Amino acid sequence: LKDGDQSLLKDFRAASTEYLFQEVSPIVIHEAERQISLLFPNGKVPSDLITVHIRWGDKFWEMDLVTIGNYTNTISHLLNENYGDNKTANIFLATEDPKAVEEFKEAVPKGWNVYYDLTIEELSSCRPDRGNRASHMAKNTNGKAGLVGIASLLVALEAKLFVLTTASNWSRMINQLRTQIIDPQCGNCTKMIDLRHGIW
């Protein structure tokens, strides 16, 4: 792209994501429903769910990684701004990084309910020791990694409040679906805080 064409790239990416998700396979929907039934009490998504996406791993090559303290402070800000000081948090932590989960568990204040991405547990046996290695995961799970991951993205979209890093492709997809599909249907009912800005 030439200088000044970043807005065109943003529009193209958003339109492409919307197109790809305009008709989701029943297989993916069934998998998302399975995850919801396992994650949330009685299989019901809390109406005040906050989705938090953490992309660590090898992403340090492309951006400064967001600290867990920054995430928890941002969640507290969202809670106070939208629900008041004493609100119990219901958080879906969307991440495939076991280290991020460990650190988040250590930092979570009392009274926060955290529902951890099922990819952490269900894909642990085939996760490489280093790097992202999506192709490795896909090959060694016969495609299950992709199915579980895309369904997890749909689970993430059940929230109304989001803490993202759009310098990450996964956060960017969540945000594009939020703005292109969810908000037009609900009257702009969602909010997002971006901790690492990308082109979206």
Side-chain angles (χ1 to χ4, degrees), residues 83 93 117 124 185:
Y83 301 115
L93 189 67
D117 197 326
S124 61
Q185 294 181 10

Side-chain angles (χ1 to χ4, degrees), residues 176-196:
Q176 288 165 346
L177 293 169
R178 178 187 74 87
T179 58
Q180 300 296 115
I181 295 178
I182 297 175
D183 272 355
Q185 294 181 10
C186 72
N188 297 318
C189 66
T190 71
K191 294 181 181 178
M192 186 273 287
I193 294 180
D194 190 357
L195 298 180
R196 290 292 182 273

Side-chain angles (χ1 to χ4, degrees), residues 54 93 95 97-106 116 120:
I54 299 179
L93 189 67
T95 186
D97 193 315
K99 183 179 179 182
V101 169
E102 290 173 10
E103 291 195 23
F104 199 86
K105 284 181 176 179
E106 292 176 0
Y116 295 96
I120 290 293

Side-chain angles (χ1 to χ4, degrees), residues 3-161:
D3 292 341
D5 285 347
Q6 296 299 316
S7 62
L8 295 178
L9 178 58
K10 170 187 168 182
D11 291 344
F12 176 77
R13 284 176 168 171
S16 298
T17 302
E18 181 181 0
Y19 176 78
L20 289 172
F21 281 84
Q22 66 180 344
E23 187 173 343
V24 179
S25 165
I27 297 172
V28 177
I29 293 173
H30 178 75
E31 171 61 19
E33 291 172 342
R34 183 189 72 86
Q35 292 187 23
I36 287 172
S37 71
L38 293 173
L39 278 170
F40 302 109
N42 301 314
K44 294 184 178 180
V45 179
S47 60
D48 56 357
L49 188 67
I50 300 173
T51 283
V52 178
H53 176 235
I54 299 179
R55 173 68 166 91
W56 279 3
D58 58 356
K59 195 66 176 176
F60 68 89
W61 291 108
E62 300 175 17
M63 71 179 193
D64 292 333
L65 301 183
V66 180
T67 65
I68 294 298
N70 199 346
Y71 279 109
T72 56
N73 288 339
T74 303
I75 294 166
S76 295
H77 170 76
L78 270 177
L79 286 170
N80 293 338
E81 184 180 70
N82 292 278
Y83 301 115
D85 292 337
N86 298 320
K87 176 65 177 174
T88 297
N90 288 296
I91 299 160
F92 175 60
L93 189 67
T95 186
E96 61 179 10
D97 193 315
K99 183 179 179 182
V101 169
E102 290 173 10
E103 291 195 23
F104 199 86
K105 284 181 176 179
E106 292 176 0
V108 169
K110 290 183 178 179
W112 285 18
N113 302 316
V114 184
Y115 308 97
Y116 295 96
D117 197 326
L118 288 181
T119 60
I120 290 293
E121 178 181 345
E122 296 191 353
L123 301 178
S124 61
S125 63
C126 57
R127 183 175 289 109
D129 294 332
R130 298 176 61 186
N132 189 0
R133 302 287 303 278
S135 59
H136 171 90
M137 294 278 283
K139 180 180 179 180
N140 285 277
T141 61
N142 294 318
K144 179 183 177 182
L147 174 61
V148 173
I150 292 295
S152 175
L153 185 146
L154 296 184
V155 175
L157 291 168
E158 293 289 327
K160 292 293 188 293
L161 302 176

